[in-house]
């Protein structure tokens, strides 16, 4: 129940400890005050870890948790502003003054001992959750769909319909052309189902739960090597648990994942504890309302770090396909990931993603060309649960277009907004942000029309900025405020004309990820304006890079740049300087005979996607990858118009996957990450 709070306190403690370093030149009294704060916040963090094991907090505990969280956010903001303003004469005085003022405001220090006793008592007593381009006029989309369907026999599946008004628009797009076409809609709302079935001689099919046999097969396959491997001692309790799941596949898999991931899979005591928990929650919770408690049980068994990463998934719109590599970058930028046991941030974050997959908390959406998970989705019921939890902890604030009664609450009282997800297509909901304080927002994620996007000048402390704008490529938007986002670590822009953007980024010393998707106004990118410590640079296909890429020696990812002349590439010698590069995706007009030798200088390279558009070398043998080149390369995707690449024995000794894409292939390529 306190996962998001412990993460922000952990980050705060690290920054408080850093203030004691010599470079900040704090006075003895100031250091004494900082040391006292570290002790006090450490004590609070210990209390919050204990609270995280409590199933249900009382009002006093919730109030204390909320105040500790807001205090921690405020103190961290103060430290970030101080470290960015070291040259100011009165920066140190302002820092301590602001922190003391925050402590006085929340009045929490004198309640620590009282809560210690209360929590300990409870623990001892056993109290243990390719989007289509946006069109301004509905009739444009309707006409386009009718034209596309006019002479076709089609099967259309519309998943998770919420309101009849949506169906009233969609049905206008469907052609009755006597070709045996079918339309299937799914919904949780009976009125919507009746509305859909009233057209085109349809009928409502109520999906039945799994029968006892299929429920048992699904349950046992999730836990044991085979459906018949359940020990005899667990069969009775297994039957009782399945009764509670009522044939709902999500409930069966969620409970099965909890049991499968327990250190003693065959522990009869643990199985009975799960059964008793489900029985307790089912009382007084008819129909599927108790599903929340099933999901809560799985959530409670996650580590604190994993809970934080899972809550972050509530940022994304419903039914989003979430790329694994993008999610990993976001988690790192948000500060959710810490290095441990000798593993780096990337490895830890990727292991968290895999763990959420293995625990059935998220679903695999797509695989890449190399057979790795490319993207995931969140089940609708799981997303509702995540947003409910995240809102309760003021972790995220979600503003949707045309909110409906079935949506979980997305804001929490008068708490300051920390992470904002704004999902709109028209201006009807923009008034929601009118009176909302945004200067302290850490993460702003926008999906919507350009005219609905709030002014970026309202944000001051943003670390993660995601702008996904529809139908706005021909318009100019003022992005000049970005140059003042001194804490910005992650920037992704889609659909905006932002030709002047690079010059506004050169002062952002913390920026690690820059991704530009379908950006109008770009023919080339002047790399000399980009922050030299950038880790990940992802740009549109056909965008050329100007001179200067070699100075970005920290780069780990470089995707999609178009390089016209491989000889110039070798002459500039910039590729050799990118010794930290692990993932490279480039397009070439041609690949000269010594082209592979140039790329082979990237000895740290793990993933390579290479597309050659033009002719092969004049030599008949083509390009040869010699023995021992690419010593760490694991995944290779090679796309070509004319065959031109050969490999000697011993090349790529670490190779795990390789994909050759022919020009006649119509399948969409998924970059291996």
């Amino acid at each position: 129940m306190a996962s998001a709070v412990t993460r922000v306190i952990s980050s705060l403690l690290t920054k408080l400890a850093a203030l004691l370093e010599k470079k900040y030149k704090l006075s003895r009294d100031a250091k004494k005050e900082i040391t006292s704060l570290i002790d006090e916040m450490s004590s609070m963090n210990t209390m919050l870890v204990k609270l995280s094991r409590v199933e249900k907090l009382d009002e006093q505990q919730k109030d204390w948790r909320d105040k500790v969280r807001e205090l921690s956010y405020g103190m961290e903001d103060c430290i970030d502003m101080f470290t960015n303003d070291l040259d100011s004469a009165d920066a140190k005085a302002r820092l301590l003054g602001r922190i003391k003022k925050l402590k006085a405001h929340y009045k929490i220090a004198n309640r620590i001992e009282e809560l210690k006793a209360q929590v300990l008592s409870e623990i001892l007593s056993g109290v243990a959750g390719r989007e289509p381009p946006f069109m301004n006029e509905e009739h444009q989309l309707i006409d386009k769909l009718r034209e596309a369907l006019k002479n076709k026999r089609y099967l259309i599946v519309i998943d998770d319909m919420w309101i009849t008004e949506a169906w009233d628009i969609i049905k206008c797009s469907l052609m009755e052309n006597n070709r045996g076409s079918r339309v299937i809609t799914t919904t949780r709302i009976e009125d919507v189902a009746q509305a859909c079935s009233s057209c085109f001689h349809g009928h409502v099919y109520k999906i039945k739960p799994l029968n006892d046999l299929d429920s048992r097969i699904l349950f046992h396959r999730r836990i044991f090597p085979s459906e018949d491997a359940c020990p005899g001692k667990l069969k009775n309790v297994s039957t009782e648990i399945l009764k509670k799941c009522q044939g709902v596949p999500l409930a069966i898999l969620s409970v099965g994942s909890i049991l499968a991931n327990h250190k003693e899979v065959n522990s009869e005591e643990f199985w009975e504890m799960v059964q008793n928990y489900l029985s307790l929650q089912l009382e007084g919770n008819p129909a599927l309302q108790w599903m929340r408690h099933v999901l809560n049980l799985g959530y409670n068994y996650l580590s604190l770090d994993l809970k934080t990463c899972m809550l972050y998934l509530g940022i994304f719109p419903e039914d989003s396909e979430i790329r694994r590599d993008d999610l990993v970058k976001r988690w790192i930028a948000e500060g959710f990931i810490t290095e441990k046991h000798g593993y780096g941030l990337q490895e830890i974050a990727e292991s968290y993603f895999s763990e959420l997959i293995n625990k059935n908390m998220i679903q695999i959406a797509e695989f890449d060309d190399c057979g790795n998970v490319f993207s995931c989705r969140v089940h609708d019921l799981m997303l509702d649960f995540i947003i409910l939890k995240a809102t309760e902890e003021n972790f995220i604030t979600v503003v949707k277009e045309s909110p409906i009664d079935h949506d979980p609450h997305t804001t929490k009282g008068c708490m300051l907004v920390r992470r904002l997800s704004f999902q709109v297509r028209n201006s009807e909901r923009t008034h929601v942000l009118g009176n909302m304080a945004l200067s302290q927002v850490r993460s702003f994620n926008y999906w919507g029309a350009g005219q609905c996007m709030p002014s970026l000048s309202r944000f001051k402390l943003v670390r993660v900025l995601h702008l996904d704008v529809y139908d706005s490529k021909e318009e100019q938007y003022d992005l000049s405020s970005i140059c003042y986002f001194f804490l910005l670590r992650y920037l992704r822009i889609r659909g905006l004309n932002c030709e002047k953007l690079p010059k506004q980024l050169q002062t952002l010393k913390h920026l690690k990820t820059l991704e530009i998707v379908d950006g109008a106004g770009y023919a080339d990118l002047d790399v000399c304006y980009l922050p030299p410590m950038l880790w990940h640079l992802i740009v549109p296909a056909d965008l050329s890079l100007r001179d200067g890429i070699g100075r970005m020696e920290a780069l780990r990812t470089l995707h999609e740049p178009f390089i016209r002349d491989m000889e110039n590439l070798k002459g500039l010698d910039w590729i050799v300087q990118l010794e930290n590069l692990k993932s490279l995706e480039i397009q070439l007009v041609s690949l000269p005979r010594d082209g592979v030798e140039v790329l082979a200088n990237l000895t740290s390279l793990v993933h390579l996607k290479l597309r050659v558009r033009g002719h092969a070398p004049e030599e008949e043998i083509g390009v040869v990858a010699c023995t021992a080149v690419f010593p760490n390369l694991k995944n290779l995707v090679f796309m070509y118009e004319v065959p031109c690449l050969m490999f000697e024995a011993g090349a790529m000794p670490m190779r795990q996957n390789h994909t050759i894409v022919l020009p006649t292939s119509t399948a969409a390529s998924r970059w291996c990450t």
Side-chain angles (χ1 to χ4, degrees):
M1 299 296 291
S3 58
V5 197
T6 55
R7 166 46 54 194
V8 71
I9 289 188
S10 297
S11 177
L12 172 62
L13 289 172
T14 300
K15 292 181 178 180
L16 283 171
L19 288 177
L20 299 176
E21 296 176 4
K22 289 183 178 180
K23 66 178 179 178
Y24 294 112
K25 300 178 181 178
L26 295 180
S27 67
R28 181 178 299 178
D29 289 343
K31 288 184 177 181
K32 185 176 180 181
E33 182 70 25
I34 296 295
T35 302
S36 176
L37 279 173
I38 292 174
D39 292 340
E40 194 170 345
M41 298 308 295
S42 296
S43 180
M44 292 180 189
N45 195 47
T46 301
M47 288 297 306
L48 287 166
V49 171
K50 292 177 180 177
L51 282 177
S52 69
R53 304 182 187 125
V54 176
E55 173 57 33
K56 188 173 182 179
L57 305 183
D58 62 29
E59 291 306 313
Q60 183 187 32
Q61 292 170 331
K62 289 179 181 178
D63 178 68
W64 183 80
R65 175 201 64 191
D66 292 345
K67 287 181 176 178
V68 170
R69 179 188 60 241
E70 298 306 310
L71 171 66
S72 301
Y73 277 132
M75 290 173 66
E76 186 177 18
D77 290 344
C78 287
I79 294 172
D80 287 335
M81 288 186 286
F82 163 73
T83 54
N84 186 62
D85 194 26
L86 279 178
D87 294 332
S88 174
D90 59 346
K92 299 169 187 175
R94 285 204 309 267
L95 170 66
L96 293 177
R98 286 172 177 168
I99 289 177
K100 288 178 180 178
K101 189 174 181 180
L102 282 166
K103 286 179 63 182
H105 175 71
Y106 290 109
K107 299 176 182 177
I108 58 175
N110 58 349
R111 298 173 64 182
I112 295 176
E113 294 303 321
E114 176 185 347
L115 278 159
K116 276 185 183 178
Q118 185 175 347
V119 174
L120 286 172
S121 175
E122 291 178 357
I123 293 173
L124 290 172
S125 63
V127 179
R130 185 164 299 221
E131 178 162 353
F134 177 69
M135 294 186 175
N136 291 318
E137 299 293 339
E138 290 170 356
H139 66 79
Q140 293 179 357
L141 183 56
I142 291 173
D143 292 345
K144 207 172 184 68
L145 284 171
R146 290 181 66 85
E147 181 64 26
L149 299 175
K150 184 167 58 177
N151 297 314
K152 292 183 174 67
R153 184 185 186 197
Y154 56 84
L155 170 64
I156 297 176
V157 180
I158 306 167
D159 184 42
D160 206 11
M161 188 90 68
W162 277 96
I163 52 177
T164 56
E165 288 80 3
W167 172 249
D168 291 339
I169 295 172
I170 291 171
K171 70 181 180 183
C172 297
S173 308
L174 306 175
M175 294 289 296
E176 290 190 82
N177 52 17
N178 298 318
R179 290 179 178 270
S181 300
R182 295 290 186 269
V183 178
I184 300 173
T185 66
T186 68
T187 181
R188 309 181 212 173
I189 304 165
E190 191 162 350
D191 290 345
V192 175
Q194 294 295 342
C196 295
S197 66
S198 64
C199 306
F200 311 114
H201 313 290
H203 68 275
V204 176
Y205 176 78
K206 294 186 177 180
I207 297 178
K208 298 178 181 179
L210 298 179
N211 59 35
D212 291 345
L213 176 60
D214 290 336
S215 295
R216 186 166 61 252
I217 291 173
L218 180 63
F219 187 57
H220 289 168
R221 280 181 178 174
R222 178 63 189 91
I223 304 169
F224 304 109
S226 69
E227 60 198 64
D228 300 321
C230 179
K233 66 177 182 178
L234 297 178
K235 287 187 175 179
N236 289 337
V237 66
S238 173
T239 300
E240 293 302 314
I241 289 175
L242 286 173
K243 285 181 182 178
K244 304 297 184 297
C245 292
Q246 301 180 15
V248 179
L250 179 62
I252 294 170
L253 287 172
S254 296
V255 177
S257 295
I258 295 166
L259 296 169
N261 285 284
H262 191 258
K263 59 184 178 181
E264 296 182 23
V265 177
N266 295 332
S267 169
E268 189 173 3
E269 181 181 358
F270 183 69
W271 280 56
E272 289 175 349
M273 187 193 77
V274 171
Q275 175 203 340
N276 293 334
Y277 176 88
L278 295 176
S279 299
L280 178 65
Q281 298 300 336
L282 189 56
E283 296 175 8
N285 288 277
L288 292 179
Q289 293 182 23
W290 69 280
M291 175 65 74
R292 183 181 303 163
H293 299 287
V294 174
L295 300 178
N296 193 58
L297 182 60
Y299 175 81
N300 286 341
Y301 276 92
L302 299 178
S303 67
L304 291 176
D305 285 347
L306 205 54
K307 285 179 181 177
T308 302
C309 291
M310 180 177 169
L311 291 183
Y312 190 74
L313 294 167
I315 285 284
F316 297 95
E318 187 173 339
D319 296 326
S320 291
E321 183 176 326
I322 306 167
R323 297 194 340 257
R324 182 193 66 168
D325 62 316
D326 181 58
L327 185 59
V328 163
K329 293 182 183 76
R330 285 168 170 265
W331 284 342
I332 293 173
E334 292 277 4
F336 300 157
I337 311 298
T338 53
E339 295 181 351
K340 57 180 70 173
H341 310 306
Y343 293 100
L345 299 177
Q346 184 86 8
E347 294 170 296
I348 296 294
E350 289 178 352
S351 72
Y352 286 171
F353 181 89
S354 298
E355 193 170 350
L356 290 175
I357 290 282
N358 293 337
K359 292 180 181 294
N360 283 311
M361 295 297 185
I362 55 179
Q363 303 169 334
I364 296 174
E366 295 277 355
F367 290 94
D368 63 25
D369 291 324
C370 298
N372 303 314
V373 176
F374 177 79
S375 60
C376 71
R377 282 194 175 93
V378 183
H379 191 285
D380 293 349
L381 291 176
M382 182 66 78
L383 182 61
D384 289 349
F385 170 79
I386 288 172
I387 293 178
L388 193 71
K389 279 284 185 186
T391 303
E392 180 183 302
E393 296 196 22
N394 196 34
F395 186 69
I396 61 174
T397 299
V398 181
V399 178
K400 295 184 180 180
E401 184 177 31
S402 302
I404 53 181
D405 294 338
H406 310 285
D407 277 350
H409 298 298
T410 55
T411 58
K412 184 173 181 181
C414 59
M415 293 290 184
L416 292 174
V417 177
R418 300 297 178 181
R419 295 175 185 86
L420 177 61
S421 178
F422 197 40
Q423 308 164 20
V424 295
R425 285 182 179 270
N426 57 60
S427 58
E428 293 179 4
R429 290 286 286 160
T430 55
H431 70 278
V432 175
L433 299 184
N435 298 321
M436 189 180 290
L438 300 178
S439 61
Q440 75 294 324
V441 169
R442 294 169 164 237
S443 175
F444 178 52
N445 302 269
Y446 180 78
W447 288 268
Q451 66 268 24
C452 302
M453 191 170 72
S455 171
L456 296 181
S457 63
R458 298 180 62 187
F459 300 90
K460 305 295 183 186
L461 301 174
V462 68
R463 279 97 164 152
V464 170
L465 181 60
H466 169 103
L467 303 176
D468 198 330
V469 180
Y470 312 134
D471 199 33
S472 300
K473 294 182 181 179
E474 301 305 318
E475 301 181 42
Q476 285 282 353
Y477 288 88
D478 183 10
L479 300 177
S480 59
S481 298
I482 291 179
C483 67
Y484 299 110
F485 296 165
F486 64 92
L487 294 174
L488 191 65
R489 301 168 186 168
Y490 171 101
L491 175 60
R492 184 180 190 270
I493 298 177
R494 176 182 182 269
L496 279 179
N497 188 331
C498 44
E499 187 175 1
K500 298 179 181 178
L501 181 64
K503 293 183 181 180
Q504 297 160 354
L505 300 179
Q506 55 186 334
T507 61
L508 304 180
K509 59 184 180 181
H510 295 295
L511 187 64
K512 298 299 183 185
T513 297
L514 172 61
E515 181 172 359
I516 303 172
V517 184
D518 300 331
Y522 275 100
D524 53 23
L525 181 67
D526 197 341
V527 180
C528 69
Y529 290 117
L530 297 179
M533 297 308 295
L534 198 68
W535 283 358
H536 310 287
L537 177 59
I538 303 168
V539 296
D542 294 334
L543 183 147
S544 297
L545 296 179
R546 293 191 199 172
D547 298 352
I549 190 73
R551 61 185 276 276
M552 303 181 66
E553 297 180 4
L555 268 185
R556 302 180 183 185
T557 302
L558 178 60
H559 283 186
E560 291 289 0
F562 180 40
I563 300 173
R564 300 181 184 278
D565 191 341
M566 192 65 179
E567 291 296 335
N568 283 343
L569 174 68
K570 185 177 182 181
L572 291 173
D573 202 29
W574 60 262
I575 200 76
V576 183
Q577 300 174 54
L578 304 182
E579 56 185 28
N580 292 306
L581 199 64
K582 295 182 179 297
S583 182
L584 176 64
E585 178 178 357
I586 57 174
Q587 302 183 56
L588 308 174
V589 170
S590 64
L591 186 64
R593 182 165 174 75
D594 57 355
V596 172
E597 295 178 15
V598 177
L599 295 176
N601 287 305
L602 301 172
T603 56
S604 298
L605 205 61
V606 176
H607 309 286
L608 172 62
K609 182 177 181 179
L610 180 62
R611 178 180 180 183
V612 181
R613 290 184 174 184
H615 59 275
E618 295 180 0
E619 299 90 337
E620 292 184 4
I621 194 171
V623 178
V624 178
C626 301
T627 302
V629 298
F630 301 114
N632 292 298
L633 193 69
K634 294 182 179 179
N635 299 313
L636 169 68
V637 177
F638 181 54
M639 309 169 70
Y640 63 87
E641 301 295 327
V642 179
C644 60
L645 183 62
M646 300 176 61
F647 296 91
E648 288 185 353
M652 301 186 298
M654 302 294 290
R655 179 182 59 83
Q656 296 177 355
N657 303 287
H658 72 273
T659 303
I660 307 299
V661 182
L662 305 176
T664 56
S665 174
T666 58
S669 176
R670 293 296 193 189
W671 169 222
C672 305
T673 55

